[in-house]
Amino acid sequence: MSIADRVQIIREGIREAALRVGRDPATVQLVAATKTVSPSLLVEAYEAGLRIFGENRLQEAQEKIPAIGPRQGLGWHFIGRMQRRKIKDIVGKFGLIHSVESVEQAHAIDGVAEKIGIQQGILLEVNVAGEENKGGFVSNDIEDAIAKIDRFPHVAIRGLMTLPPFSDHPENVRPYFSELRQLRDSLAERKLTHGGMIELSMGMSGDYHIAIEEGATMVRVGSAIFGQRN
Ligand SMILES: *Cc1c(COP(=O)(O)O)cnc(C)c1O
């Protein structure tokens, strides 16, 4: 099956999931997760209509971004874990950073963004299940963290992101998606940020339809577009 065929199927899946819960399918952005995917396949994905590529690894992005070059409407997001010393090379190169895990990281981003004269859009990664091996804010700490991060003038908190615990059964992760949405709603209601606490980045190849039913505004889909990674 071609990438274009797969994208078609995913778009249909997004549409159906949104309509099941009375949402407008246009409120869900498909972010193609591009780790390990070659530039030529990314060009194919672009030609199939994909416009946002999400990279995990800076080094890969630094090879792919120039290989593909600037194209109409094309944007790159950073979705992977960030090492402190890489932050200076990430800020400004990606329209949105999905994976900010600490106040310290946000502070470092703010410093770089100030130097280059931009405001960097970020999402705060939430460790909804409190897993030890994962980064991210625990739900109880996020309000304090937002109070601090919102004082950094060169970052804009646009929403929340999560990577729920792995499960073979997508229904098992529904409660985590639902929890992230409730957290977003309660933060947005209290207007704690100036960046607009709107986005919910959640759902991947196996469970994007469930994430959308639970309110995802961005789904990060890799293998369902590009095939299994080695
Ligand atoms: C790889 C990755 C994805 C996509 O995973 P698939 O199961 O291939 O769709 C989404 N988000 C992040 C952070 C990833 O690293």
Side-chain angles (χ1 to χ4, degrees):
M1 207 190 288
S2 70
I3 287 181
D5 289 338
R6 291 198 181 121
V7 168
Q8 183 64 33
I9 289 167
I10 294 162
R11 287 216 187 282
E12 187 53 30
I14 290 173
R15 205 180 77 84
E16 285 170 3
L19 294 179
R20 273 198 294 280
V21 293
R23 296 184 58 199
D24 176 357
T27 61
V28 182
Q29 282 189 304
L30 175 56
V31 177
T34 56
K35 58 176 176 274
T36 77
V37 178
S38 68
S40 63
L41 289 184
L42 294 187
V43 169
E44 230 179 294
Y46 178 85
E47 281 163 2
L50 295 183
R51 289 295 178 268
I52 307 175
F53 292 159
E55 255 302 340
N56 288 71
R57 298 167 187 140
L58 178 64
Q59 204 185 329
E60 274 192 52
Q62 285 170 331
E63 289 161 18
K64 291 173 197 174
I65 293 172
I68 296 162
R71 284 170 194 252
Q72 182 76 35
L74 175 62
W76 289 84
H77 291 181
F78 195 82
I79 64 174
R81 287 196 92 160
M82 280 182 293
Q83 293 163 278
R84 195 184 165 86
R85 64 194 165 81
K86 303 260 170 87
I87 285 177
K88 63 177 188 329
D89 298 316
I90 291 174
V91 174
K93 304 289 196 310
F94 297 87
L96 186 67
I97 300 173
H98 290 229
S99 43
V100 174
E101 304 179 54
S102 68
V103 174
E104 291 69 33
Q105 278 189 345
H107 189 222
I109 291 168
D110 181 62
V112 180
E114 178 175 14
K115 269 195 206 115
I116 59 180
I118 63 157
Q119 194 180 49
Q120 175 70 58
I122 64 169
L123 305 180
L124 304 182
E125 181 169 347
V126 182
N127 186 347
V128 272
E131 290 171 282
E132 301 251 331
N133 59 338
K134 260 185 204 159
F137 297 91
V138 294
S139 307
N140 285 336
D141 295 345
I142 199 143
E143 203 170 310
D144 280 351
I146 287 174
K148 293 186 180 115
I149 295 171
D150 202 53
R151 284 191 223 117
F152 303 148
H154 300 276
V155 298
I157 308 171
R158 305 232 185 272
L160 306 177
M161 177 272 223
T162 198
L163 270 167
F166 177 79
S167 171
D168 281 330
H169 301 284
E171 276 299 333
N172 292 347
V173 296
R174 186 186 291 277
Y176 300 112
F177 293 149
S178 165
E179 188 180 324
L180 196 73
R181 184 197 58 225
Q182 287 168 39
L183 186 60
R184 192 268 325 256
D185 289 348
S186 95
L187 295 168
E189 200 171 295
R190 282 173 293 149
K191 297 195 167 41
L192 299 174
T193 77
H194 65 265
M197 174 59 78
I198 293 165
E199 306 293 350
L200 277 180
S201 169
M202 57 187 194
M204 315 199 296
S205 291
D207 52 21
Y208 66 87
H209 44 293
I210 291 179
I212 291 165
E213 288 173 9
E214 295 300 330
T217 64
M218 295 180 173
V219 290
R220 309 175 311 268
V221 179
S223 49
I225 298 171
F226 300 110
Q228 247 6 287
R229 287 178 294 273
N230 298 326

